[in-house]
Amino acid sequence: MSTDFEPRIIGFLCRWCSYNGADLAGTSRMKYLPNMVPIRTNCSGRVDPTHVLKALADGADGVLIAGCHPGDCHYINGNYRTAGRYPLMEKLLEQLGLEHGRVRLEWISAAEGDKFAKTVTEFTEQIRALGPLDWGKQFEAEEAKTA
Amino acid sequence: MADEKIAVYFCDCGTNIAGKVDVDEVVKWAAEQPNVTVAREYKYMCSDPGQDLIKTDIKELGVTRVVVAACSPTMHEPTFRKAAADGGLNPFLLQMANVREHCSWVTEDPVEATEKAKRILSAQIHRLPFNEALQPIEVPVNPDVMVVGAGIAGIEAALKLADAGKKVFVVERDPSIGGHMAMFDKTFPTLDCSACILTPKMSALGKHPNITLMAYSEVTEVSGYVGNFKVKVRKKARYVDTDKCTGCAACTEACVVQKVKSEFDVGLGYRPAIYIPFPQAVPLKATIDPAKCLTLSKGKCAKQSCVSACGPGAIDFGQQDEQVELDVGAIIMATGFELFDCEREARYGYGRLANVITSLEFERLSNASGPTGGHIVMKNGEAPKSVAILHCVGSRDENYQEFCSRVCCMYSLKFAHLIKEHLPETEVYELYIDMRAYGKGYEEFYKRLMDEGVHFIRGRAAEVSDVALAPEEEGRLVVKAEDTLLGIMRRLPVDMVILSAGLSPRRDAKEVAQTFGFGCSANGFYLERHPKLEPASTMTDGVFLAGACQYPKDIPDAVAQAGAAAAGALTFVNNPTVKVEPTISYIDPEKCSGCHICVGLCPHAAIQFNAEKEVAEVIEAACKGCGVCVAACGSNVPQQRGYLDKQIFAEIEGALAL
């Protein structure tokens, strides 16, 4: 694995908590690694497993989903749906040959700018340690084997 | 879609963005991206000339989609959407790329920041061709307002709204309104009598034709949205018919249970089992404490003397809690604070050493309506010859609360003055870390106290003990502290110690915030929408904050915020309708298989199953746009306007395009 590997990460941030937490990290001028591009959704419950698959298939090395803490959801319980869906998705990704740790779910409130900054940096380092995700190649190898 | 004309505007934000991101490079790059007709840099996009750029380009270049790369959309999305609309473009055909909060401010390296800015921008450039013109949904507004909590902040907000002609429901948990301010003796720095300035407002609230006061009541459930909240309130049983009760207090004198610790006197005095918390209570109605009343707790009271004492026959042991439903357009939260629990700070001996008291206890002690009739005395009834006031108990302390409680320095100075006024011969020691006298007239008050013979010792007290090491310490309390100005350790023998306790969030602040659909800050107080510009609003449209529930504050600040919250509520309820975001879900009946999955998942019960057509249907007025149904459907049939799958997919593609 080359040491200058820069992971590409997509972060789905819920609009009410985590997106604002990211804003707070900004207004507080907290520095974190630049590898994650945020995508805003109204609720973490809007994040469809296909969004995660799409990101990984299109070249992301990792995906972060961040929403309000349990009980704090702006939509009463949307984040409980996320929490319920997430383990199933992890299983699916495992079956697709994805290493554990490329997708992460975090609860980050609008007041937790520091947690947001730390999470992004830690997650980036984690993905860096896992190395690039070359899904296309993996499938090609699988196909070559079966052919 | 391929012939969309996208205009890209990149804001320097002075040096906030341009100081880190190579704006020229990003703009040059952006101009070459698919569908981009024009890419411009401007110093301040939010300025009028900046907004004019958007309007002009829409008109002159026929721009059909706009992306503004600038600050957070939370900040200026409404600004730019309005500019687009003024230029003749549907506002939902504009996207913001957050390259300030999410990029320039948080990235160390300029090259990396420039690259990240491109990726953030690219996501929006890719998304825009899939954006659709949307129309905001207009819903009618209920003009009534609910105020939760009736201390000084809640009272002020309710009166302002009621005077403006709005119908106001005031829900207060305790039997009387008034909150902490009703318990205080004097107010700093003017030394106004607290009750004298508060009680006229309390009685004005109680009598106001536009105010419905629901004291001894709690909000149990809130649903709906701005302009249309539905609130369930539990009116706790007082076991007294308030229509009949005249507040004469004959029952309280007649009650056989007289020794219940009074909440109003913070346990220093007693009240009967049937009680009126204090003489100026509003509403002036008796309440039976069901845990202490013999009839209610034990099933028998030989005398039931309250019943015979009550002329109008208001006592009703069979009374039940009552559920009330309210419809309101806006809500003001004014639930206040609690005093820091001084027993947690064990080294100061509160609860163990008799003459260590809290600041709130001192308020009652020096108050003429208090348990000692305003005499500052120790537990043995004698006046103290020396008093130490310990600042920052529970505040500015990483073990408990990191924040400064803002009012303790000033009320401690007030205490010193009151002690000197009542007991001129008594020595008073103020043990402080820093003296924070920041308000109008505060520094002057501090100076005045220095001339009144109060001893100021700069140092946080280490311990309060009753172990005497010298004859003059026998039978007294000893405060150990480092005098950081003299650089020596001191032992101060005193007769009384007052703990200047910090202000804590209400124990149930988090649950209450959840009930109303907003959050709490890391320190436990309610979270405001913006720390500078919207300190009186919450993330939930139509729900506002006033007073110490948002952060510790003194009376003038609480009153000022109450005014801001009232004005905030008025901006909604003064209009017949409110526009809500049209980013809600819709279901194509042609594609829905009627599997029911989304129906049960919707948090707002906004999806109904149409049994006749065998499809799920979205009730537009109830949908709040979380998108849970979209993600849950196995066939991706529900879609969320503004957050369509194809829009999110395009954003992902754009973010990963380079």
Side-chain angles (χ1 to χ4, degrees):
Chain A
M1 187 207 322
S2 82
T3 48
D4 57 2
F5 161 56
E6 282 302 334
R8 296 203 290 175
I9 299 169
I10 295 290
F12 295 103
L13 311 182
C14 92
R15 169 186 185 166
W16 302 99
C17 292
S18 306
Y19 194 92
N20 288 312
D23 278 0
L24 180 61
T27 41
S28 315
R29 313 296 200 275
M30 292 168 178
K31 299 290 184 275
Y32 57 86
L33 293 178
N35 302 57
M36 192 205 71
V37 178
I39 290 179
R40 184 169 72 152
T41 59
N42 272 3
C43 179
S44 60
R46 171 68 185 92
V47 181
D48 193 312
T50 56
H51 299 160
V52 177
L53 290 168
K54 165 84 177 166
L56 294 171
D58 278 8
D61 303 297
V63 175
L64 174 73
I65 304 165
C68 306
H69 283 270
D72 285 353
C73 182
H74 188 78
Y75 304 102
I76 304 171
N77 56 19
N79 54 355
Y80 287 119
R81 307 299 173 215
T82 320
R85 217 174 269 148
Y86 183 74
L88 290 173
M89 189 173 63
E90 271 195 313
K91 254 221 151 78
L92 169 76
L93 293 169
E94 195 186 309
Q95 286 166 358
L96 289 170
L98 197 83
E99 307 99 309
H100 185 76
R102 286 207 184 265
V103 181
R104 186 191 278 197
L105 173 64
E106 284 283 351
W107 308 129
I108 300 171
S109 82
E112 292 175 327
D114 53 343
K115 184 176 179 186
F116 182 82
K118 267 186 214 146
T119 301
V120 174
T121 293
E122 262 175 39
F123 188 52
T124 305
E125 291 303 354
Q126 183 178 323
I127 302 295
R128 202 193 300 280
L130 284 170
L133 171 68
D134 199 346
W135 235 356
K137 255 199 194 128
Q138 273 190 35
F139 286 127
E140 276 165 33
E142 283 291 317
E143 275 166 25
K145 252 190 255 169
T146 50
Chain B
M1 206 187 304
D3 50 4
E4 294 302 347
K5 287 183 173 176
I6 299 178
V8 175
Y9 302 93
F10 206 99
C11 180
D12 291 348
C13 195
T15 56
N16 282 306
I17 296 170
K20 187 68 84 172
V21 173
D22 184 340
V23 180
D24 282 344
E25 187 188 323
V26 180
V27 170
K28 230 175 269 168
W29 166 88
E32 290 160 9
Q33 296 310 298
N35 298 317
V36 173
T37 300
V38 59
R40 299 185 196 277
E41 168 189 6
Y42 194 72
K43 205 165 181 55
Y44 290 105
M45 276 307 293
C46 59
S47 66
D48 281 346
Q51 295 180 50
D52 287 343
L53 284 178
I54 302 176
K55 295 178 208 170
T56 313
D57 285 346
I58 292 169
K59 284 179 189 145
E60 292 181 2
L61 301 178
V63 163
T64 60
R65 299 283 192 274
V66 175
V67 51
V68 182
C71 52
S72 170
T74 316
M75 193 84 193
H76 269 309
E77 195 172 63
T79 312
F80 295 123
R81 277 186 174 170
K82 184 167 184 305
D86 290 349
L89 193 69
N90 183 285
F92 292 89
L93 301 177
L94 175 143
Q95 289 287 134
M96 284 194 74
N98 184 347
V99 292
R100 192 179 74 173
E101 280 84 345
H102 290 188
C103 183
S104 68
W105 275 351
V106 292
T107 311
E108 204 81 66
D109 179 64
V111 177
E112 288 178 344
T114 305
E115 286 309 301
K116 185 176 181 182
K118 282 185 199 169
R119 291 201 296 270
I120 292 174
L121 184 53
S122 171
Q124 299 309 323
I125 293 173
H126 278 72
R127 181 196 220 266
L128 270 172
F130 298 95
N131 273 27
E132 299 169 338
L134 300 176
Q135 299 306 327
I137 302 167
E138 255 186 277
V139 291
V141 168
N142 183 318
D144 302 346
V145 182
M146 175 174 69
V147 176
V148 185
I152 180 59
I155 292 172
E156 186 66 24
L159 285 175
K160 285 248 181 325
L161 287 162
D163 286 345
K166 297 296 159 193
K167 286 227 174 320
V168 185
F169 298 96
V170 176
V171 181
E172 165 60 46
R173 183 185 273 180
D174 287 340
S176 169
I177 63 171
H180 281 104
M181 190 175 166
M183 301 160 84
F184 298 160
D185 181 17
K186 302 287 189 291
T187 56
F188 61 78
T190 50
L191 302 170
D192 288 296
C193 152
S194 186
C196 311
I197 55 177
L198 176 68
T199 50
K201 284 186 182 289
M202 288 169 62
S203 80
L205 187 151
K207 290 193 183 76
H208 206 295
N210 287 343
I211 294 179
T212 306
L213 173 57
M214 300 165 82
Y216 209 44
S217 302
E218 290 189 40
V219 173
T220 54
E221 208 181 305
V222 180
S223 59
Y225 51 93
V226 57
N228 300 275
F229 293 106
K230 279 199 181 306
V231 185
K232 284 188 185 160
V233 179
R234 182 167 63 93
K235 284 178 94 166
K236 293 179 275 190
R238 284 181 190 257
Y239 305 101
V240 170
D241 184 338
T242 48
D243 290 337
K244 291 182 185 162
C245 177
T246 60
C248 72
C251 56
T252 67
E253 286 153 27
C255 182
V256 294
V257 184
Q258 288 288 333
K259 289 267 175 179
V260 181
K261 283 195 169 178
S262 156
E263 294 83 357
F264 188 72
D265 282 331
V266 271
L268 295 180
Y270 297 101
R271 62 160 171 85
I274 183 164
Y275 66 107
I276 293 171
F278 53 104
Q280 304 97 325
V282 173
L284 192 65
K285 304 288 174 190
T287 305
I288 299 181
D289 179 343
K292 301 293 178 187
C293 167
L294 296 179
T295 305
L296 289 168
S297 65
K298 298 206 164 57
K300 59 168 186 197
C301 173
K303 284 180 142 178
Q304 292 206 339
S305 45
C306 56
V307 179
S308 46
C310 182
I315 312 286
D316 175 8
F317 291 115
Q319 203 176 65
Q320 300 283 324
D321 288 358
E322 198 186 326
Q323 290 286 348
V324 183
E325 284 195 27
L326 304 176
D327 293 307
V328 294
I331 296 171
I332 293 176
M333 303 298 293
T335 56
F337 66 94
E338 320 195 333
L339 202 69
F340 172 77
D341 177 6
C342 289
E343 281 193 42
R344 293 173 66 195
E345 185 62 295
R347 61 193 176 136
Y348 293 157
Y350 177 72
R352 183 164 48 84
L353 303 171
N355 291 311
V356 177
I357 63 171
T358 69
S359 41
L360 202 52
E361 288 169 1
F362 182 82
E363 294 280 0
R364 297 307 303 149
L365 216 50
S366 73
N367 194 313
S369 77
T372 58
H375 297 292
I376 299 169
V377 290
M378 298 184 288
K379 288 282 149 68
N380 63 7
E382 288 173 22
K385 292 201 168 55
S386 56
V387 180
I389 304 173
L390 276 47
H391 289 222
C392 298
V393 178
S395 303
R396 302 185 69 197
D397 186 336
E398 288 184 1
N399 298 309
Y400 306 108
Q401 302 179 150
E402 254 183 90
F403 55 85
C404 166
S405 293
R406 294 181 86 232
V407 294
C408 324
C409 281
M410 291 311 297
Y411 75 57
S412 299
L413 292 176
K414 175 189 75 179
F415 290 172
H417 173 84
L418 292 174
I419 296 168
K420 282 286 181 192
E421 195 178 76
H422 285 70
L423 310 164
E425 301 305 316
T426 298
E427 297 295 342
V428 183
Y429 301 90
E430 296 261 5
L431 286 92
Y432 66 100
I433 313 179
D434 301 291
M435 190 60 70
R436 296 187 167 174
Y438 57 90
K440 190 173 188 181
Y442 292 8
E443 186 67 23
E444 295 90 324
F445 188 65
Y446 175 29
K447 240 179 144 188
R448 174 177 166 189
L449 262 289
M450 287 200 273
D451 292 338
E452 287 184 6
V454 176
H455 307 284
F456 287 91
I457 298 172
R458 187 175 180 276
R460 172 175 241 155
E463 191 189 7
V464 179
S465 89
D466 55 352
V467 180
L469 296 182
E472 70 271 20
E473 294 176 4
E474 288 296 342
R476 307 179 79 186
L477 296 167
V478 180
V479 179
K480 283 203 283 187
E482 182 189 358
D483 186 327
T484 59
L485 295 182
L486 293 179
I488 54 165
M489 286 302 295
R490 296 184 67 164
R491 289 176 66 85
L492 298 167
V494 294
D495 297 325
M496 179 188 271
V497 170
I498 304 170
L499 303 180
S500 293
L503 274 49
S504 298
R506 288 266 180 206
R507 243 158 267 245
D508 57 353
K510 198 164 166 57
E511 291 83 72
V512 172
Q514 283 177 0
T515 304
F516 286 84
F518 57 86
C520 289
S521 311
N523 55 27
F525 290 99
Y526 296 158
L527 181 67
E528 62 287 327
R529 195 179 189 113
H530 190 282
K532 310 276 185 309
L533 302 177
E534 295 195 77
S537 308
T538 66
M539 284 293 177
T540 303
D541 278 345
V543 180
F544 298 88
L545 301 176
C549 61
Q550 181 246 340
Y551 193 69
K553 51 180 70 73
D554 57 14
I555 294 164
D557 284 2
V559 168
Q561 194 181 17
L570 271 180
T571 55
F572 282 109
V573 299
N574 243 10
N575 293 309
T577 59
V578 64
K579 283 181 181 166
V580 294
E581 287 253 314
T583 52
I584 58 168
S585 292
Y586 65 94
I587 292 174
D588 183 348
E590 295 294 313
K591 291 182 186 160
C592 176
S593 68
C595 77
H596 283 265
I597 275 190
C598 58
V599 180
L601 286 180
C602 177
H604 302 101
I607 304 184
Q608 264 182 352
F609 191 74
N610 184 330
E612 202 177 300
K613 294 184 191 158
E614 294 192 336
V615 291
E617 287 173 348
V618 176
I619 309 161
E620 287 204 351
C623 175
K624 286 195 173 186
C626 65
V628 161
C629 55
V630 191
C633 179
S635 322
N636 286 341
V637 175
Q639 281 295 322
Q640 185 186 4
R641 295 198 169 91
Y643 293 91
L644 303 171
D645 273 333
K646 55 184 175 187
Q647 291 172 327
I648 296 175
F649 281 164
E651 255 188 84
I652 296 169
E653 281 169 19
L656 295 167
L658 69 160

